[in-house]
Amino acid sequence: MLTMEQIQKKSLNRLVGLNPVFKIVMEKLIERCYARGVWIVITQGFRTYAEQDELYAQGRNGDKRPKVTKARGGYSNHNFGFAADFALLLRDGRTVSWDTLKDDDKDSLPDWSEVVEEAKKLGLEWGGDWRSFKDMPHLQMVFGITTAQFRAGKHPTQAQLNAALAKFNKLEDEPMTAEEKAAFKALQNTVQKQADRIKTLETTAKQPKVPAWAEQACINAKAVGVLDTANDGSYDFYRMVTLLDRAGVFKRGGVA
């Protein structure tokens, strides 16, 4: 019989890279499922764009394996740290299963359904509810943000993150101890600092005025219709436009 700590340890590596709040919610899911006699492990967490593209290639272009995703790199919530996949852990403590009908705790309710039930209580979305390309092991918490918005740099608000943190505390029968309240407050402070840091980086990256060294390149790019505005670009944006201009890309007739 494995302890909850032993069960949690099996998912540690797959929780690395997840948004801190989403990570806490997934840890709470493992804990709540264990309390119901259901063992789960996280099998997939954060993925880079390259890892996502590699997964997308499975079952395509001559690959005989079944397709496992319809999302390329940048089009999956795994790429932004707000999604994770799970599997059932069998009683030998080593074997994982995706059997949605298995009932190891003998309570007449499939273990898979119990996990989904607990996940929804915590505010998680389940891929099994999707109308097309159902993803039964998939759980996510995206706060209404699309992958396009994530790619553009949008993030959950502090209020949304705080609400997600508070949600699972309301599910507990006992009120938080002083230590738990202190830990919760510390986590909120950490999340706030990260949100402030992200905001600072985003503000720093944008330059409200075109740098003098990039003005002519932007003028040339607008003259051939490549740009409609050059305002609020980043340093890297202006650098790229300047390099393309020096390469002659923005000469009349030089743009395809």
Side-chain angles (χ1 to χ4, degrees):
M1 181 70 174
L2 297 183
T3 66
M4 185 176 68
E5 289 72 21
Q6 289 173 317
I7 298 292
Q8 289 175 322
K9 191 173 182 180
K10 290 179 178 292
S11 295
L12 283 179
N13 291 339
R14 295 299 183 182
L15 295 174
V16 174
L18 295 181
N19 171 271
V21 172
F22 181 64
K23 177 176 178 289
I24 291 292
V25 174
M26 293 307 298
E27 290 172 338
K28 180 59 68 172
L29 176 64
I30 295 171
E31 178 184 323
R32 290 182 65 84
C33 289
Y34 183 85
R36 293 182 64 158
V38 179
W39 299 356
I40 65 170
V41 291
I42 305 307
T43 58
Q44 288 283 308
F46 172 78
R47 298 190 199 115
T48 64
Y49 282 22
E51 290 170 335
Q52 187 68 38
D53 284 334
E54 184 178 349
L55 198 62
Y56 176 81
Q58 182 173 319
R60 295 177 172 86
N61 300 323
D63 190 319
K64 302 300 183 182
R65 294 174 295 173
K67 294 179 181 178
V68 293
T69 182
K70 66 175 183 178
R72 297 176 183 272
Y75 290 80
S76 168
N77 289 311
H78 283 280
N79 304 148
F80 307 101
F82 285 95
D85 297 338
F86 74 93
L88 302 176
L89 181 65
L90 303 189
R91 287 302 186 263
D92 62 9
R94 298 184 300 274
T95 309
V96 296
S97 169
W98 288 267
D99 185 348
T100 59
L101 301 178
K102 184 177 291 296
D103 180 23
D104 276 345
D105 55 338
K106 311 301 181 186
D107 61 359
S108 76
L109 185 64
D111 295 346
W112 199 272
S113 298
E114 293 189 70
V115 178
V116 173
E117 185 177 280
E118 290 298 329
K120 290 183 177 182
K121 287 180 182 178
L122 292 168
L124 292 163
E125 300 171 39
W126 178 44
D129 287 331
W130 296 343
R131 292 183 179 181
S132 62
F133 208 94
K134 289 183 180 294
D135 194 350
M136 303 297 280
H138 182 93
L139 298 169
Q140 63 181 36
M141 180 177 280
V142 297
F143 305 93
I145 301 174
T146 66
T147 53
Q149 291 172 322
F150 272 128
R151 291 196 302 276
K154 186 172 182 178
H155 304 280
T157 65
Q158 186 62 43
Q160 288 174 314
L161 293 172
N162 286 344
L165 286 171
K167 189 175 183 68
F168 61 74
N169 285 311
K170 293 179 181 179
L171 298 175
E172 305 300 323
D173 295 328
E174 297 295 328
M176 285 190 292
T177 64
E179 292 78 10
E180 289 172 334
K181 289 180 179 179
F184 181 72
K185 182 65 176 178
L187 179 59
Q188 285 184 312
N189 290 338
T190 298
V191 172
Q192 181 64 60
K193 288 178 181 178
Q194 290 184 334
D196 292 343
R197 175 62 175 162
I198 289 171
K199 186 175 181 180
T200 299
L201 290 173
E202 289 176 342
T203 301
T204 303
K206 288 186 177 181
Q207 300 187 31
K209 185 178 179 181
V210 179
W213 51 266
E215 286 181 353
Q216 189 58 52
C218 289
I219 291 172
N220 295 343
K222 290 173 69 176
V224 296
V226 174
L227 294 179
D228 56 358
T229 179
N231 296 329
D232 297 322
S234 66
Y235 172 86
D236 288 338
F237 168 78
Y238 292 124
R239 181 173 179 272
M240 178 186 69
V241 172
T242 301
L243 290 174
L244 291 174
D245 183 58
R246 291 174 180 173
V249 173
F250 302 141
K251 290 181 179 179
R252 291 288 184 180
V255 177

